[in-house]
Amino acid sequence: MTEVKSVGQLVGEVLARRRIERGHTQGDAAQHARWAGLTWSRDHVASLETGRRESLSVEELLLLSSAYDMKLADWFEGDGQVALTPEIAVSRADLRATLGRGRSLKIDGIIVDMSNVPDVDRTEQLVAHRLDAEAPVVQQAAQQLWGRSFAEERDRRLGDVGDPQRARTLRAGMTKRMTREIEPTVRELS
């Protein structure tokens, strides 16, 4: 039998893994969420991680993705099904494909078309805004220069910083330096 979990349960499991991998407490995770704009406490994080919270709003998921510099599709890793409602479940693989690659998702005869939504992360959107360019152009420039996304290259250069506040400061500085570095390529591609 295929395992069916709610969005909240899946996001909570992934959040717990990511938090522990980084050596963070639930309080640290709540601080990250607050930096991204959520009004979460340690109890909010604990409730999500233990599966007591079944759902999240789109806004919460977007801000949490920003806080952990993750793509939406990353929250639905693994096999099994995601319960969208008590009556409707879709495979995690289909949901990842829909969120991560701009595919259409068919649910009970209804097609959710995301084919025109580029797979661009928040960092590339920010850099595009700063350079008055389109995010897919920044994405293409990053691939051309470094063979990876802007955020992946930034994180590779920084390595594991540890302290969340220090990491945020270092990421901001590195983003500014890399924005100057990528600007000529973005202008060339625009």
Side-chain angles (χ1 to χ4, degrees), residues 16 18 30 36 38 43 46 51 56-57 78 87 119 147 155-156 177 181:
R18 297 289 165 102
L38 292 165
D43 290 340
L56 286 114
S57 69
E87 297 82 26
D119 185 20
D155 293 347
R156 185 194 68 76
R177 284 191 292 282
E181 186 179 327

Side-chain angles (χ1 to χ4, degrees), residues 10-27:
L10 292 171
V11 171
E13 289 174 6
V14 173
L15 176 61
R17 270 196 305 279
R18 297 289 165 102
R19 175 182 64 74
I20 291 166
E21 285 169 4
R22 295 177 180 193
H24 294 168
T25 65
Q26 289 178 335

Side-chain angles (χ1 to χ4, degrees), residues 2-88:
T2 302
E3 184 178 31
V4 179
K5 293 188 176 183
S6 71
V7 170
Q9 290 170 320
L10 292 171
V11 171
E13 289 174 6
V14 173
L15 176 61
R17 270 196 305 279
R18 297 289 165 102
R19 175 182 64 74
I20 291 166
E21 285 169 4
R22 295 177 180 193
H24 294 168
T25 65
Q26 289 178 335
D28 294 333
Q31 181 64 50
H32 273 326
R34 285 192 297 275
W35 284 335
L38 292 165
T39 57
W40 283 13
S41 66
R42 190 205 63 76
D43 290 340
H44 280 87
V45 173
S47 179
L48 189 61
E49 287 185 358
T50 58
R52 292 189 316 263
R53 184 159 180 207
E54 296 267 322
S55 65
L56 286 114
S57 69
V58 171
E59 296 88 349
E60 287 175 311
L61 191 55
L62 289 169
L63 291 171
L64 191 59
S65 295
S66 171
Y68 276 83
D69 203 17
M70 292 173 57
K71 295 179 181 175
L72 290 175
D74 294 341
W75 297 107
F76 304 101
E77 59 192 25
D79 297 322
Q81 300 243 322
V82 180
L84 300 179
T85 71
E87 297 82 26
I88 299 173

Side-chain angles (χ1 to χ4, degrees), residues 71-80 82 84 90-107 111-120:
K71 295 179 181 175
L72 290 175
D74 294 341
W75 297 107
F76 304 101
E77 59 192 25
D79 297 322
V82 180
L84 300 179
V90 297
S91 77
R92 292 188 207 183
D94 285 347
L95 188 55
R96 281 192 309 272
T98 299
L99 294 172
R101 294 184 193 85
R103 287 192 192 158
S104 299
L105 178 64
K106 188 174 182 180
I107 304 170
I111 296 176
V112 179
D113 184 8
M114 298 184 71
S115 60
N116 293 323
V117 179
D119 185 20
V120 176

Side-chain angles (χ1 to χ4, degrees), residues 32 35 69 123 130 150-151 153-180:
H32 273 326
W35 284 335
D69 203 17
T123 304
R130 286 182 181 164
F150 192 99
E153 177 65 14
R154 180 201 59 211
D155 293 347
R156 185 194 68 76
R157 291 181 185 190
L158 288 174
D160 185 26
V161 178
D163 176 51
Q165 191 166 4
R166 184 169 185 270
R168 186 177 173 95
T169 302
L170 291 174
R171 275 197 308 268
M174 182 61 74
T175 297
K176 286 179 185 175
R177 284 191 292 282
M178 288 174 59
T179 298
R180 288 190 297 270

